[in-house]
Amino acid sequence: AQSVTQLDSHVSVSEGTPVLLRCNYSSSYSPSLFWYVQHPNKGLQLLLKYTSAATLVKGINGFEAEFKKSETSFHLTKPSAHMSDAAEYFCVVSLTGNQFYFGTGTSLTVIP
Amino acid sequence: DGGITQSPKYLFRKEGQNVTLSCEQNLNHDAMYWYRQDPGQGLRLIYYSQIVNDFQKGDIAEGYSVSREKKESFPLTVTSAQKNPTAFYLCASSIHSGAVNNEQFFGPGTRLTVL
């Protein structure tokens, strides 16, 4: 069975400081992993995806994530938070490409 | 512009009424999905369709129905049998089903409120 755990439901950072949003997954096989961002009352936008190529994945808006198989983790990072980064972030896993399993989300607050 | 459109943005329904949410995509994607989003619960899959005239139940299909008569359209009907329909509904599509590196593209969502 596949599952996704986002370890923090809320994260607060000061503007200009690093962001770390944590995600662990369980899967019997090598999955595809995704991070999406959702601003209030909007749809989800893809930030980045891992599909068994490079383990360090760079995405849009300065975000990146590292796939660590030994730790079954796919944490999202950004060196310097911007006010516009305040949003809900979802970690997603897919094995077959047919179904996608979503974490419960992490709400990021950026303090000016 | 290519993308996914959902209408209406806000929808109000009286108890006991059926209501249909629209989802249209012009991305030429084969697969389409409906999710329900509730606070603190992430997204839960209602139905998905890999090809025209075919669809499968997701994790929370009870009280919902769908059709896929055209590739670009995947409407969702919330029936009176759905006990707690107030939620944010998201439609998504992906280029084809079964490819491991598929990513989903999402519409802007419809917020349904039962009065």
Side-chain angles (χ1 to χ4, degrees), chain A residues 12-99:
Chain A
S12 290
V13 300
S14 296
E15 189 176 16
T17 65
V19 176
L20 170 64
L21 305 182
R22 297 182 295 167
C23 173
N24 285 94
Y25 69 93
S26 64
S27 176
S28 302
Y29 304 96
S30 294
S32 291
L33 294 157
F34 309 82
W35 275 101
Y36 284 85
V37 61
Q38 183 182 34
H39 292 275
N41 294 310
K42 302 287 187 185
L44 278 67
Q45 180 187 15
L46 181 70
L47 281 177
L48 49 81
K49 66 178 180 181
Y50 166 77
T51 56
S52 76
T55 56
L56 182 62
V57 182
K58 294 188 184 297
I60 62 172
N61 301 335
F63 284 95
E64 60 182 40
E66 186 172 8
F67 173 70
K68 292 188 177 180
K69 188 174 182 179
S70 60
E71 299 177 8
T72 60
S73 69
F74 190 56
H75 301 335
L76 182 70
T77 60
K78 183 174 181 177
S80 176
H82 190 272
M83 294 299 294
S84 61
D85 295 328
E88 189 88 13
Y89 291 80
F90 291 96
C91 183
V92 182
V93 63
S94 177
L95 176 61
T96 64
N98 288 332
Q99 291 206 26

Side-chain angles (χ1 to χ4, degrees), chain B residues 1-20:
Chain B
D1 287 337
I4 302 176
T5 57
Q6 291 185 242
S7 62
K9 187 173 177 65
Y10 298 96
L11 187 57
F12 298 90
R13 189 195 91 175
K14 293 182 179 179
E15 283 194 26
Q17 286 182 336
N18 292 356
V19 64
T20 297

